[in-house]
Amino acid sequence: MPSVQPIKKKTAPTVPATPTPPTGSVDTAFLRTLVGYNARRASLAVIEVFMERMAVYGLKVVDFSVLSLMAHNPGITSRQLCATLDVLPPNLVGLIAALERRGLIERRPHPSDGRALGLHLTPAGMDLTAQAEQTAADLEMDATGRLTAAERKTLIRLLQKVYSRG
């Protein structure tokens, strides 16, 4: 009678556990070399406070940008706003309508283009925009308080070089 060998169970190879870094010592060295990572982290820090401070005016980031552009460019067209802010026209339509319903802006015939409408701030829009711009300026100083005036100016210039097309 042939001898029967016991069947040996196969055991799964042991896989070393992935080491988890101790709390507080995550290595971000590579990420910190990336412009995008640093720009995003700085943006998040500023935008969070910006949104809190603009909430009293009922403004989001893009609302503020549109009103500010209108304040400094009376009669600006929707097309110009879209191009300047990289906003798609359908997205701007609702925003303009909402600002108009709030009594902050009005549309007037464009002086040189009969097909276009110029966008203008109403007196209420001018007041609100002036207050919001002062709030934004104060926020910028708070957010960049660890920078010298020269460093702040350099940072802005360098960031503009990254996103400018011309």
Side-chain angles (χ1 to χ4, degrees):
M1 181 168 177
S3 68
V4 177
Q5 299 289 330
I7 299 174
K8 293 184 180 179
K9 289 186 176 181
K10 292 184 181 180
T11 57
T14 53
V15 177
T18 304
T20 54
T23 304
S25 64
V26 175
D27 182 1
T28 60
F30 176 74
L31 290 176
R32 293 171 64 90
T33 67
L34 303 175
V35 171
Y37 175 81
N38 287 288
R40 180 70 175 153
R41 292 293 306 265
S43 174
L44 288 172
V46 174
I47 294 296
E48 181 180 348
V49 178
F50 183 92
M51 289 172 44
E52 288 171 12
R53 294 192 190 178
M54 288 298 147
V56 298
Y57 306 111
L59 298 176
K60 296 178 184 147
V61 175
V62 70
D63 301 331
F64 171 80
S65 298
V66 166
L67 290 173
S68 182
L69 285 171
M70 292 169 80
H72 299 279
N73 302 278
I76 192 168
T77 65
S78 293
R79 172 177 263 164
Q80 290 172 308
L81 285 172
C82 288
T84 302
L85 297 175
D86 276 335
V87 175
L88 294 173
N91 296 338
L92 188 66
V93 169
L95 190 150
I96 294 296
L99 294 174
E100 195 170 31
R101 278 192 304 274
R102 288 180 62 185
L104 300 175
I105 68 168
E106 60 187 10
R107 304 171 205 229
R108 297 185 204 151
H110 194 275
S112 61
D113 184 348
R115 298 169 295 157
L117 291 173
L119 300 169
H120 298 267
L121 295 178
T122 62
M126 286 182 221
D127 290 344
L128 182 107
T129 302
Q131 292 173 38
E133 283 185 339
Q134 184 58 57
T135 298
D138 293 343
L139 163 65
E140 289 282 309
M141 294 312 292
D142 293 346
T144 59
R146 290 180 277 179
L147 302 178
T148 65
E151 287 172 331
R152 183 177 180 279
K153 188 175 181 177
T154 299
L155 175 61
I156 290 170
R157 183 179 50 77
L158 293 173
L159 289 169
Q160 289 169 348
K161 283 180 85 169
V162 170
Y163 73 77
S164 292
R165 296 180 185 160

PDB file of all heavy atoms in Angstrom, residues 105-139:
ATOM      1  N   ILE A 105     -25.739  96.309  -9.892  1.00  0.00           N
ATOM      2  CA  ILE A 105     -25.264  96.644 -11.237  1.00  0.00           C
ATOM      3  C   ILE A 105     -26.446  96.946 -12.144  1.00  0.00           C
ATOM      4  O   ILE A 105     -27.587  96.584 -11.842  1.00  0.00           O
ATOM      5  CB  ILE A 105     -24.406  95.518 -11.854  1.00  0.00           C
ATOM      6  CG1 ILE A 105     -25.259  94.285 -12.145  1.00  0.00           C
ATOM      7  CG2 ILE A 105     -23.229  95.173 -10.973  1.00  0.00           C
ATOM      8  CD1 ILE A 105     -24.556  93.261 -13.010  1.00  0.00           C
ATOM      9  N   GLU A 106     -26.127  97.588 -13.264  1.00  0.00           N
ATOM     10  CA  GLU A 106     -27.135  97.825 -14.299  1.00  0.00           C
ATOM     11  C   GLU A 106     -26.462  97.714 -15.656  1.00  0.00           C
ATOM     12  O   GLU A 106     -25.256  97.910 -15.785  1.00  0.00           O
ATOM     13  CB  GLU A 106     -27.797  99.189 -14.119  1.00  0.00           C
ATOM     14  CG  GLU A 106     -26.857 100.362 -14.193  1.00  0.00           C
ATOM     15  CD  GLU A 106     -27.523 101.685 -13.834  1.00  0.00           C
ATOM     16  OE1 GLU A 106     -28.656 101.684 -13.341  1.00  0.00           O
ATOM     17  OE2 GLU A 106     -26.881 102.718 -14.053  1.00  0.00           O
ATOM     18  N   ARG A 107     -27.261  97.387 -16.639  1.00  0.00           N
ATOM     19  CA  ARG A 107     -26.788  97.269 -18.016  1.00  0.00           C
ATOM     20  C   ARG A 107     -27.218  98.525 -18.766  1.00  0.00           C
ATOM     21  O   ARG A 107     -28.350  98.967 -18.626  1.00  0.00           O
ATOM     22  CB  ARG A 107     -27.383  96.043 -18.693  1.00  0.00           C
ATOM     23  CG  ARG A 107     -27.121  94.756 -17.972  1.00  0.00           C
ATOM     24  CD  ARG A 107     -27.931  93.639 -18.602  1.00  0.00           C
ATOM     25  NE  ARG A 107     -28.183  92.577 -17.651  1.00  0.00           N
ATOM     26  CZ  ARG A 107     -27.976  91.291 -17.901  1.00  0.00           C
ATOM     27  NH1 ARG A 107     -27.516  90.916 -19.067  1.00  0.00           N
ATOM     28  NH2 ARG A 107     -28.247  90.393 -16.994  1.00  0.00           N
ATOM     29  N   ARG A 108     -26.282  99.044 -19.552  1.00  0.00           N
ATOM     30  CA  ARG A 108     -26.581 100.207 -20.389  1.00  0.00           C
ATOM     31  C   ARG A 108     -26.036  99.947 -21.789  1.00  0.00           C
ATOM     32  O   ARG A 108     -25.060  99.214 -21.946  1.00  0.00           O
ATOM     33  CB  ARG A 108     -25.897 101.467 -19.838  1.00  0.00           C
ATOM     34  CG  ARG A 108     -26.355 101.882 -18.469  1.00  0.00           C
ATOM     35  CD  ARG A 108     -25.694 103.206 -18.089  1.00  0.00           C
ATOM     36  NE  ARG A 108     -25.644 103.355 -16.641  1.00  0.00           N
ATOM     37  CZ  ARG A 108     -24.722 104.036 -16.001  1.00  0.00           C
ATOM     38  NH1 ARG A 108     -23.736 104.643 -16.662  1.00  0.00           N
ATOM     39  NH2 ARG A 108     -24.762 104.137 -14.691  1.00  0.00           N
ATOM     40  N   PRO A 109     -26.626 100.585 -22.799  1.00  0.00           N
ATOM     41  CA  PRO A 109     -26.085 100.416 -24.157  1.00  0.00           C
ATOM     42  C   PRO A 109     -24.610 100.812 -24.203  1.00  0.00           C
ATOM     43  O   PRO A 109     -24.195 101.792 -23.577  1.00  0.00           O
ATOM     44  CB  PRO A 109     -26.933 101.369 -24.997  1.00  0.00           C
ATOM     45  CG  PRO A 109     -28.190 101.557 -24.216  1.00  0.00           C
ATOM     46  CD  PRO A 109     -27.799 101.457 -22.767  1.00  0.00           C
ATOM     47  N   HIS A 110     -23.846 100.012 -24.932  1.00  0.00           N
ATOM     48  CA  HIS A 110     -22.416 100.293 -25.087  1.00  0.00           C
ATOM     49  C   HIS A 110     -22.261 101.465 -26.050  1.00  0.00           C
ATOM     50  O   HIS A 110     -22.924 101.502 -27.086  1.00  0.00           O
ATOM     51  CB  HIS A 110     -21.699  99.044 -25.620  1.00  0.00           C
ATOM     52  CG  HIS A 110     -20.221  99.120 -25.505  1.00  0.00           C
ATOM     53  ND1 HIS A 110     -19.441  99.725 -26.456  1.00  0.00           N
ATOM     54  CD2 HIS A 110     -19.385  98.677 -24.532  1.00  0.00           C
ATOM     55  CE1 HIS A 110     -18.183  99.637 -26.086  1.00  0.00           C
ATOM     56  NE2 HIS A 110     -18.114  99.015 -24.925  1.00  0.00           N
ATOM     57  N   PRO A 111     -21.386 102.422 -25.741  1.00  0.00           N
ATOM     58  CA  PRO A 111     -21.265 103.610 -26.583  1.00  0.00           C
ATOM     59  C   PRO A 111     -20.753 103.350 -28.003  1.00  0.00           C
ATOM     60  O   PRO A 111     -21.111 104.067 -28.924  1.00  0.00           O
ATOM     61  CB  PRO A 111     -20.297 104.508 -25.819  1.00  0.00           C
ATOM     62  CG  PRO A 111     -19.615 103.644 -24.830  1.00  0.00           C
ATOM     63  CD  PRO A 111     -20.515 102.476 -24.569  1.00  0.00           C
ATOM     64  N   SER A 112     -19.939 102.297 -28.182  1.00  0.00           N
ATOM     65  CA  SER A 112     -19.371 102.088 -29.521  1.00  0.00           C
ATOM     66  C   SER A 112     -19.794 100.779 -30.184  1.00  0.00           C
ATOM     67  O   SER A 112     -19.516 100.569 -31.351  1.00  0.00           O
ATOM     68  CB  SER A 112     -17.839 102.152 -29.449  1.00  0.00           C
ATOM     69  OG  SER A 112     -17.343 101.144 -28.591  1.00  0.00           O
ATOM     70  N   ASP A 113     -20.446  99.888 -29.443  1.00  0.00           N
ATOM     71  CA  ASP A 113     -20.879  98.609 -30.012  1.00  0.00           C
ATOM     72  C   ASP A 113     -22.376  98.459 -29.758  1.00  0.00           C
ATOM     73  O   ASP A 113     -22.799  98.155 -28.645  1.00  0.00           O
ATOM     74  CB  ASP A 113     -20.106  97.460 -29.370  1.00  0.00           C
ATOM     75  CG  ASP A 113     -20.429  96.101 -29.977  1.00  0.00           C
ATOM     76  OD1 ASP A 113     -21.410  95.995 -30.750  1.00  0.00           O
ATOM     77  OD2 ASP A 113     -19.699  95.138 -29.677  1.00  0.00           O
ATOM     78  N   GLY A 114     -23.158  98.677 -30.791  1.00  0.00           N
ATOM     79  CA  GLY A 114     -24.609  98.637 -30.672  1.00  0.00           C
ATOM     80  C   GLY A 114     -25.164  97.293 -30.248  1.00  0.00           C
ATOM     81  O   GLY A 114     -26.284  97.193 -29.770  1.00  0.00           O
ATOM     82  N   ARG A 115     -24.381  96.223 -30.415  1.00  0.00           N
ATOM     83  CA  ARG A 115     -24.843  94.885 -30.042  1.00  0.00           C
ATOM     84  C   ARG A 115     -24.527  94.553 -28.592  1.00  0.00           C
ATOM     85  O   ARG A 115     -25.068  93.605 -28.041  1.00  0.00           O
ATOM     86  CB  ARG A 115     -24.187  93.833 -30.938  1.00  0.00           C
ATOM     87  CG  ARG A 115     -24.536  93.987 -32.407  1.00  0.00           C
ATOM     88  CD  ARG A 115     -23.667  93.104 -33.259  1.00  0.00           C
ATOM     89  NE  ARG A 115     -22.267  93.565 -33.134  1.00  0.00           N
ATOM     90  CZ  ARG A 115     -21.191  92.845 -33.359  1.00  0.00           C
ATOM     91  NH1 ARG A 115     -21.307  91.607 -33.751  1.00  0.00           N
ATOM     92  NH2 ARG A 115     -19.985  93.340 -33.222  1.00  0.00           N
ATOM     93  N   ALA A 116     -23.644  95.319 -27.975  1.00  0.00           N
ATOM     94  CA  ALA A 116     -23.178  94.994 -26.617  1.00  0.00           C
ATOM     95  C   ALA A 116     -23.831  95.898 -25.582  1.00  0.00           C
ATOM     96  O   ALA A 116     -24.275  97.005 -25.883  1.00  0.00           O
ATOM     97  CB  ALA A 116     -21.660  95.141 -26.548  1.00  0.00           C
ATOM     98  N   LEU A 117     -23.853  95.392 -24.366  1.00  0.00           N
ATOM     99  CA  LEU A 117     -24.311  96.183 -23.231  1.00  0.00           C
ATOM    100  C   LEU A 117     -23.131  96.392 -22.298  1.00  0.00           C
ATOM    101  O   LEU A 117     -22.375  95.458 -22.008  1.00  0.00           O
ATOM    102  CB  LEU A 117     -25.432  95.468 -22.478  1.00  0.00           C
ATOM    103  CG  LEU A 117     -26.764  95.339 -23.206  1.00  0.00           C
ATOM    104  CD1 LEU A 117     -27.712  94.454 -22.417  1.00  0.00           C
ATOM    105  CD2 LEU A 117     -27.380  96.710 -23.424  1.00  0.00           C
ATOM    106  N   GLY A 118     -22.974  97.619 -21.836  1.00  0.00           N
ATOM    107  CA  GLY A 118     -21.951  97.909 -20.852  1.00  0.00           C
ATOM    108  C   GLY A 118     -22.501  97.663 -19.464  1.00  0.00           C
ATOM    109  O   GLY A 118     -23.680  97.900 -19.192  1.00  0.00           O
ATOM    110  N   LEU A 119     -21.674  97.164 -18.591  1.00  0.00           N
ATOM    111  CA  LEU A 119     -22.088  96.884 -17.220  1.00  0.00           C
ATOM    112  C   LEU A 119     -21.551  97.977 -16.301  1.00  0.00           C
ATOM    113  O   LEU A 119     -20.372  98.330 -16.374  1.00  0.00           O
ATOM    114  CB  LEU A 119     -21.576  95.512 -16.799  1.00  0.00           C
ATOM    115  CG  LEU A 119     -22.075  94.351 -17.661  1.00  0.00           C
ATOM    116  CD1 LEU A 119     -21.318  93.069 -17.345  1.00  0.00           C
ATOM    117  CD2 LEU A 119     -23.566  94.158 -17.470  1.00  0.00           C
ATOM    118  N   HIS A 120     -22.421  98.484 -15.452  1.00  0.00           N
ATOM    119  CA  HIS A 120     -22.074  99.595 -14.559  1.00  0.00           C
ATOM    120  C   HIS A 120     -22.555  99.297 -13.151  1.00  0.00           C
ATOM    121  O   HIS A 120     -23.601  98.663 -12.961  1.00  0.00           O
ATOM    122  CB  HIS A 120     -22.754 100.888 -15.034  1.00  0.00           C
ATOM    123  CG  HIS A 120     -22.336 101.319 -16.393  1.00  0.00           C
ATOM    124  ND1 HIS A 120     -21.303 102.211 -16.601  1.00  0.00           N
ATOM    125  CD2 HIS A 120     -22.793 100.963 -17.629  1.00  0.00           C
ATOM    126  CE1 HIS A 120     -21.159 102.400 -17.905  1.00  0.00           C
ATOM    127  NE2 HIS A 120     -22.042 101.658 -18.550  1.00  0.00           N
ATOM    128  N   LEU A 121     -21.818  99.788 -12.174  1.00  0.00           N
ATOM    129  CA  LEU A 121     -22.257  99.683 -10.788  1.00  0.00           C
ATOM    130  C   LEU A 121     -23.322 100.743 -10.526  1.00  0.00           C
ATOM    131  O   LEU A 121     -23.229 101.860 -11.023  1.00  0.00           O
ATOM    132  CB  LEU A 121     -21.090  99.899  -9.827  1.00  0.00           C
ATOM    133  CG  LEU A 121     -19.964  98.868  -9.848  1.00  0.00           C
ATOM    134  CD1 LEU A 121     -18.865  99.280  -8.872  1.00  0.00           C
ATOM    135  CD2 LEU A 121     -20.478  97.488  -9.519  1.00  0.00           C
ATOM    136  N   THR A 122     -24.309 100.384  -9.742  1.00  0.00           N
ATOM    137  CA  THR A 122     -25.278 101.359  -9.265  1.00  0.00           C
ATOM    138  C   THR A 122     -24.636 102.060  -8.057  1.00  0.00           C
ATOM    139  O   THR A 122     -23.577 101.619  -7.569  1.00  0.00           O
ATOM    140  CB  THR A 122     -26.572 100.646  -8.803  1.00  0.00           C
ATOM    141  OG1 THR A 122     -26.237  99.785  -7.712  1.00  0.00           O
ATOM    142  CG2 THR A 122     -27.215  99.865  -9.936  1.00  0.00           C
ATOM    143  N   PRO A 123     -25.231 103.114  -7.542  1.00  0.00           N
ATOM    144  CA  PRO A 123     -24.682 103.726  -6.322  1.00  0.00           C
ATOM    145  C   PRO A 123     -24.533 102.711  -5.177  1.00  0.00           C
ATOM    146  O   PRO A 123     -23.516 102.707  -4.477  1.00  0.00           O
ATOM    147  CB  PRO A 123     -25.693 104.824  -5.996  1.00  0.00           C
ATOM    148  CG  PRO A 123     -26.211 105.233  -7.352  1.00  0.00           C
ATOM    149  CD  PRO A 123     -26.316 103.928  -8.109  1.00  0.00           C
ATOM    150  N   ALA A 124     -25.519 101.835  -5.011  1.00  0.00           N
ATOM    151  CA  ALA A 124     -25.411 100.800  -3.966  1.00  0.00           C
ATOM    152  C   ALA A 124     -24.243  99.854  -4.268  1.00  0.00           C
ATOM    153  O   ALA A 124     -23.516  99.441  -3.359  1.00  0.00           O
ATOM    154  CB  ALA A 124     -26.714 100.001  -3.871  1.00  0.00           C
ATOM    155  N   GLY A 125     -24.053  99.524  -5.554  1.00  0.00           N
ATOM    156  CA  GLY A 125     -22.939  98.675  -5.961  1.00  0.00           C
ATOM    157  C   GLY A 125     -21.593  99.339  -5.712  1.00  0.00           C
ATOM    158  O   GLY A 125     -20.635  98.685  -5.309  1.00  0.00           O
ATOM    159  N   MET A 126     -21.532 100.647  -5.959  1.00  0.00           N
ATOM    160  CA  MET A 126     -20.286 101.383  -5.709  1.00  0.00           C
ATOM    161  C   MET A 126     -19.939 101.366  -4.221  1.00  0.00           C
ATOM    162  O   MET A 126     -18.783 101.127  -3.855  1.00  0.00           O
ATOM    163  CB  MET A 126     -20.415 102.822  -6.197  1.00  0.00           C
ATOM    164  CG  MET A 126     -20.371 102.965  -7.690  1.00  0.00           C
ATOM    165  SD  MET A 126     -20.489 104.726  -8.127  1.00  0.00           S
ATOM    166  CE  MET A 126     -21.589 104.631  -9.514  1.00  0.00           C
ATOM    167  N   ASP A 127     -20.936 101.598  -3.378  1.00  0.00           N
ATOM    168  CA  ASP A 127     -20.701 101.592  -1.930  1.00  0.00           C
ATOM    169  C   ASP A 127     -20.244 100.219  -1.446  1.00  0.00           C
ATOM    170  O   ASP A 127     -19.259 100.105  -0.719  1.00  0.00           O
ATOM    171  CB  ASP A 127     -21.968 101.999  -1.168  1.00  0.00           C
ATOM    172  CG  ASP A 127     -22.325 103.469  -1.343  1.00  0.00           C
ATOM    173  OD1 ASP A 127     -21.454 104.258  -1.787  1.00  0.00           O
ATOM    174  OD2 ASP A 127     -23.478 103.832  -1.031  1.00  0.00           O
ATOM    175  N   LEU A 128     -20.971  99.188  -1.854  1.00  0.00           N
ATOM    176  CA  LEU A 128     -20.636  97.841  -1.430  1.00  0.00           C
ATOM    177  C   LEU A 128     -19.246  97.442  -1.924  1.00  0.00           C
ATOM    178  O   LEU A 128     -18.451  96.875  -1.172  1.00  0.00           O
ATOM    179  CB  LEU A 128     -21.675  96.834  -1.937  1.00  0.00           C
ATOM    180  CG  LEU A 128     -21.398  95.409  -1.472  1.00  0.00           C
ATOM    181  CD1 LEU A 128     -22.395  94.995  -0.410  1.00  0.00           C
ATOM    182  CD2 LEU A 128     -21.436  94.454  -2.635  1.00  0.00           C
ATOM    183  N   THR A 129     -18.937  97.759  -3.172  1.00  0.00           N
ATOM    184  CA  THR A 129     -17.632  97.397  -3.743  1.00  0.00           C
ATOM    185  C   THR A 129     -16.503  98.119  -3.021  1.00  0.00           C
ATOM    186  O   THR A 129     -15.462  97.515  -2.732  1.00  0.00           O
ATOM    187  CB  THR A 129     -17.599  97.682  -5.255  1.00  0.00           C
ATOM    188  OG1 THR A 129     -18.661  96.945  -5.878  1.00  0.00           O
ATOM    189  CG2 THR A 129     -16.274  97.286  -5.874  1.00  0.00           C
ATOM    190  N   ALA A 130     -16.695  99.385  -2.711  1.00  0.00           N
ATOM    191  CA  ALA A 130     -15.663 100.134  -1.981  1.00  0.00           C
ATOM    192  C   ALA A 130     -15.395  99.492  -0.615  1.00  0.00           C
ATOM    193  O   ALA A 130     -14.237  99.324  -0.212  1.00  0.00           O
ATOM    194  CB  ALA A 130     -16.079 101.591  -1.822  1.00  0.00           C
ATOM    195  N   GLN A 131     -16.454  99.113   0.082  1.00  0.00           N
ATOM    196  CA  GLN A 131     -16.290  98.465   1.391  1.00  0.00           C
ATOM    197  C   GLN A 131     -15.602  97.109   1.241  1.00  0.00           C
ATOM    198  O   GLN A 131     -14.692  96.770   2.011  1.00  0.00           O
ATOM    199  CB  GLN A 131     -17.643  98.282   2.065  1.00  0.00           C
ATOM    200  CG  GLN A 131     -18.314  99.565   2.486  1.00  0.00           C
ATOM    201  CD  GLN A 131     -19.733  99.309   2.986  1.00  0.00           C
ATOM    202  OE1 GLN A 131     -19.997  98.317   3.655  1.00  0.00           O
ATOM    203  NE2 GLN A 131     -20.647 100.199   2.628  1.00  0.00           N
ATOM    204  N   ALA A 132     -16.038  96.341   0.256  1.00  0.00           N
ATOM    205  CA  ALA A 132     -15.468  95.011   0.036  1.00  0.00           C
ATOM    206  C   ALA A 132     -13.998  95.106  -0.385  1.00  0.00           C
ATOM    207  O   ALA A 132     -13.177  94.295   0.055  1.00  0.00           O
ATOM    208  CB  ALA A 132     -16.277  94.255  -1.014  1.00  0.00           C
ATOM    209  N   GLU A 133     -13.663  96.086  -1.213  1.00  0.00           N
ATOM    210  CA  GLU A 133     -12.255  96.254  -1.614  1.00  0.00           C
ATOM    211  C   GLU A 133     -11.389  96.632  -0.425  1.00  0.00           C
ATOM    212  O   GLU A 133     -10.249  96.166  -0.311  1.00  0.00           O
ATOM    213  CB  GLU A 133     -12.135  97.299  -2.728  1.00  0.00           C
ATOM    214  CG  GLU A 133     -12.557  96.773  -4.075  1.00  0.00           C
ATOM    215  CD  GLU A 133     -12.327  97.749  -5.221  1.00  0.00           C
ATOM    216  OE1 GLU A 133     -12.217  98.980  -4.984  1.00  0.00           O
ATOM    217  OE2 GLU A 133     -12.263  97.280  -6.366  1.00  0.00           O
ATOM    218  N   GLN A 134     -11.903  97.454   0.479  1.00  0.00           N
ATOM    219  CA  GLN A 134     -11.132  97.804   1.684  1.00  0.00           C
ATOM    220  C   GLN A 134     -10.935  96.568   2.559  1.00  0.00           C
ATOM    221  O   GLN A 134      -9.847  96.329   3.084  1.00  0.00           O
ATOM    222  CB  GLN A 134     -11.823  98.913   2.483  1.00  0.00           C
ATOM    223  CG  GLN A 134     -11.020  99.374   3.688  1.00  0.00           C
ATOM    224  CD  GLN A 134      -9.627  99.887   3.316  1.00  0.00           C
ATOM    225  OE1 GLN A 134      -9.503 100.806   2.517  1.00  0.00           O
ATOM    226  NE2 GLN A 134      -8.586  99.285   3.878  1.00  0.00           N
ATOM    227  N   THR A 135     -11.973  95.763   2.671  1.00  0.00           N
ATOM    228  CA  THR A 135     -11.876  94.514   3.434  1.00  0.00           C
ATOM    229  C   THR A 135     -10.832  93.596   2.801  1.00  0.00           C
ATOM    230  O   THR A 135     -10.023  92.983   3.506  1.00  0.00           O
ATOM    231  CB  THR A 135     -13.254  93.813   3.493  1.00  0.00           C
ATOM    232  OG1 THR A 135     -14.168  94.681   4.169  1.00  0.00           O
ATOM    233  CG2 THR A 135     -13.186  92.483   4.211  1.00  0.00           C
ATOM    234  N   ALA A 136     -10.841  93.498   1.476  1.00  0.00           N
ATOM    235  CA  ALA A 136      -9.869  92.651   0.771  1.00  0.00           C
ATOM    236  C   ALA A 136      -8.446  93.176   0.966  1.00  0.00           C
ATOM    237  O   ALA A 136      -7.513  92.394   1.171  1.00  0.00           O
ATOM    238  CB  ALA A 136     -10.205  92.567  -0.715  1.00  0.00           C
ATOM    239  N   ALA A 137      -8.275  94.490   0.922  1.00  0.00           N
ATOM    240  CA  ALA A 137      -6.940  95.075   1.125  1.00  0.00           C
ATOM    241  C   ALA A 137      -6.440  94.790   2.537  1.00  0.00           C
ATOM    242  O   ALA A 137      -5.265  94.443   2.737  1.00  0.00           O
ATOM    243  CB  ALA A 137      -6.979  96.579   0.859  1.00  0.00           C
ATOM    244  N   ASP A 138      -7.330  94.920   3.523  1.00  0.00           N
ATOM    245  CA  ASP A 138      -6.952  94.620   4.906  1.00  0.00           C
ATOM    246  C   ASP A 138      -6.579  93.149   5.052  1.00  0.00           C
ATOM    247  O   ASP A 138      -5.587  92.812   5.713  1.00  0.00           O
ATOM    248  CB  ASP A 138      -8.100  94.953   5.865  1.00  0.00           C
ATOM    249  CG  ASP A 138      -8.402  96.438   5.949  1.00  0.00           C
ATOM    250  OD1 ASP A 138      -7.548  97.268   5.529  1.00  0.00           O
ATOM    251  OD2 ASP A 138      -9.504  96.789   6.427  1.00  0.00           O
ATOM    252  N   LEU A 139      -7.359  92.276   4.435  1.00  0.00           N
ATOM    253  CA  LEU A 139      -7.079  90.845   4.472  1.00  0.00           C
ATOM    254  C   LEU A 139      -5.714  90.542   3.865  1.00  0.00           C
ATOM    255  O   LEU A 139      -4.947  89.747   4.402  1.00  0.00           O
ATOM    256  CB  LEU A 139      -8.167  90.082   3.722  1.00  0.00           C
ATOM    257  CG  LEU A 139      -7.836  88.635   3.322  1.00  0.00           C
ATOM    258  CD1 LEU A 139      -7.667  87.760   4.534  1.00  0.00           C
ATOM    259  CD2 LEU A 139      -8.884  88.082   2.401  1.00  0.00           C
TER     260      LEU A 139
END
